[in-house]
Amino acid sequence: MGVDIFKKYIWLISTVNSYNGIGIKELNNLYRDNESISCGEDLNERTFHRWREKIYEIFGIDIVCRKNEYYIDNKEDLKGNNTRLWLMQTIATHNMVAEHSNLKERILIEPQPSCEEFLRPILKAMQNNTIIDIEYKKFNNNQQEYLRIAPYCLKSFHRRWYMLAKKESGEIRTYALDRIYNIKQTNKIFSLPKDFHAGDYFNKFYGIITDNSIPSQNIEIKVFGKQVHYFRTLPLHHSQKETLTTKDYSVFTFYLAPTYDFIMELLSQNSTIEVLSPPTLRNQIKSLLKETLKKYKD
């Protein structure tokens, strides 16, 4: 399938999704006016219905007609599939930026370490359940490891890609793709455990560090001022709830295991938050802040 037709599918999905019902004539006008997608051509009805069928086949998204207007019938399914949603949002954003190429000097995009050369072989190995050999170097030492692993899943976090994989020893570890130096495919097959689900594996954690020795617990955080809006619009974790709202602050609760990633995220919030409970986490944050202050003493 060509990239151009794929972009057109994404354009149709995002356009229909942004309207509370849209007719074929209005769709055609929007399509024709978007010359980066249409090259100034019309979207005829026959092509439109063919695209609808392909979109349902590829993405499982059903564009339905009611009273001569079109809607996405299963919007909740779209929201519930993070991979599908991320893919469409990424391409839809690319389409919008491409429409305004004359503004490229005024659109700044945060760079991300390139892992494209490794994503493809990892995805292929995941698709076929085949073992891969990798050369890997951690940030905390200069020793290069040569590992034979079974890739279980991929996860993006803070502009980096990570792979959860099982080592020959049986240990399950997470590897950052930007610390991989080489990948070799093998013909050796592995069996993905039937009860393994990537979402469940990371469910009780924030980020990519997992530690089952740390129990899930109720965590209360007081968030001050305008930072409340940032928490509301981009929750840190799926368990986040706003349990108290005042003029000056809000209290948010979480149910998760407070691993290193979560603690670092809390520290990055500086004076805009206060950990209320549990006491162990509050004291841990307090100790880390005291250690930080020591570095700034003259």
Side-chain angles (χ1 to χ4, degrees):
M1 180 186 298
V3 174
D4 287 342
I5 190 63
F6 196 80
K7 288 181 180 178
K8 291 176 180 180
Y9 294 160
I10 300 298
W11 174 87
L12 182 57
I13 294 167
S14 60
T15 302
V16 174
N17 191 45
S18 63
Y19 282 81
N20 187 24
I22 185 169
I24 187 67
K25 185 177 179 180
E26 189 176 2
L27 264 174
N28 177 58
N29 291 338
L30 292 170
Y31 177 75
R32 187 181 58 241
D33 292 343
N34 188 340
E35 294 191 6
S36 67
I37 294 287
S38 68
C39 298
E41 297 179 355
D42 285 320
L43 173 62
N44 65 59
E45 196 164 348
R46 190 172 182 179
T47 300
F48 166 67
H49 290 301
R50 185 171 68 249
W51 290 2
R52 284 176 61 204
E53 291 175 3
K54 282 293 183 182
I55 285 168
Y56 185 75
E57 180 183 324
I58 296 169
F59 298 107
I61 295 172
D62 196 7
I63 299 175
V64 298
C65 182
R66 300 192 191 101
K67 298 181 180 179
N68 296 320
E69 290 190 327
Y70 290 90
Y71 306 79
I72 291 179
D73 191 44
N74 51 346
K75 281 190 177 184
E76 291 307 313
D77 290 346
L78 176 60
K79 292 177 182 177
N81 189 315
N82 290 336
T83 304
R84 183 193 299 166
L85 188 59
W86 170 81
L87 176 64
M88 290 192 297
Q89 287 176 340
T90 300
I91 298 176
T93 301
H94 178 274
N95 286 352
M96 283 189 283
V97 172
E99 289 173 32
H100 303 89
S101 58
N102 60 313
L103 299 176
K104 63 182 179 181
E105 299 301 327
R106 294 162 60 188
I107 301 173
L108 306 179
I109 298 174
E110 197 171 16
Q112 180 171 346
S114 176
C115 301
E116 294 173 6
E117 60 178 309
F118 297 133
L119 272 175
R120 189 177 297 277
I122 291 171
L123 287 167
K124 180 181 178 182
M126 287 169 58
Q127 182 71 46
N128 298 323
N129 282 347
T130 52
I131 300 288
I132 55 175
D133 293 330
I134 66 169
E135 295 177 35
Y136 190 79
K137 186 187 288 186
K138 298 177 183 178
F139 281 160
N140 58 0
N141 63 50
N142 292 320
Q143 187 176 356
Q144 198 147 312
E145 297 179 88
Y146 296 86
L147 304 165
R148 174 158 286 192
I149 57 175
Y152 275 20
C153 74
L154 286 164
K155 180 178 172 67
S156 65
F157 179 65
H158 283 180
R159 296 168 44 222
R160 298 181 191 273
W161 279 102
Y162 296 86
M163 167 180 55
L164 183 73
K166 185 177 182 179
K167 298 171 63 176
E168 286 185 299
S169 63
E171 179 188 5
I172 296 178
R173 275 190 52 192
T174 303
Y175 301 90
L177 268 61
D178 59 349
R179 277 156 255 178
I180 295 175
Y181 288 82
N182 191 31
I183 289 181
K184 289 183 180 178
Q185 301 278 352
T186 75
N187 294 321
K188 188 175 180 181
I189 303 294
F190 72 90
S191 296
L192 187 70
K194 291 182 180 179
D195 60 351
F196 175 79
H197 187 277
D200 291 342
Y201 187 88
F202 288 97
N203 185 60
K204 72 172 187 174
F205 303 105
Y206 170 82
I208 52 91
I209 293 177
T210 60
D211 186 345
N212 287 315
S213 68
I214 301 176
S216 295
Q217 46 200 283
N218 290 310
I219 297 167
E220 277 192 314
I221 297 171
K222 184 186 286 188
V223 182
F224 299 93
K226 65 180 182 181
Q227 193 68 13
V228 169
H229 302 294
Y230 289 94
F231 271 70
R232 286 175 184 158
T233 55
L234 192 61
L236 294 185
H237 189 256
H238 64 84
S239 67
Q240 178 178 307
K241 294 178 182 178
E242 186 171 353
T243 56
L244 178 63
T245 305
T246 74
K247 185 180 70 173
D248 299 317
Y249 66 86
S250 285
V251 173
F252 292 88
T253 62
F254 302 84
Y255 185 72
L256 51 74
T259 55
Y260 177 83
D261 281 341
F262 186 65
I263 290 169
M264 289 301 102
E265 178 62 33
L266 295 182
L267 289 172
S268 74
Q269 303 290 334
N270 299 312
S271 61
T272 63
I273 71 159
E274 177 190 354
V275 176
L276 301 178
S277 67
T280 50
L281 180 60
R282 180 181 172 88
N283 290 333
Q284 189 176 2
I285 295 293
K286 190 187 299 183
S287 296
L288 289 168
L289 288 172
K290 286 180 179 178
E291 289 299 314
T292 301
L293 283 173
K294 287 180 183 178
K295 295 180 174 63
Y296 289 89
K297 285 186 176 180
D298 295 329

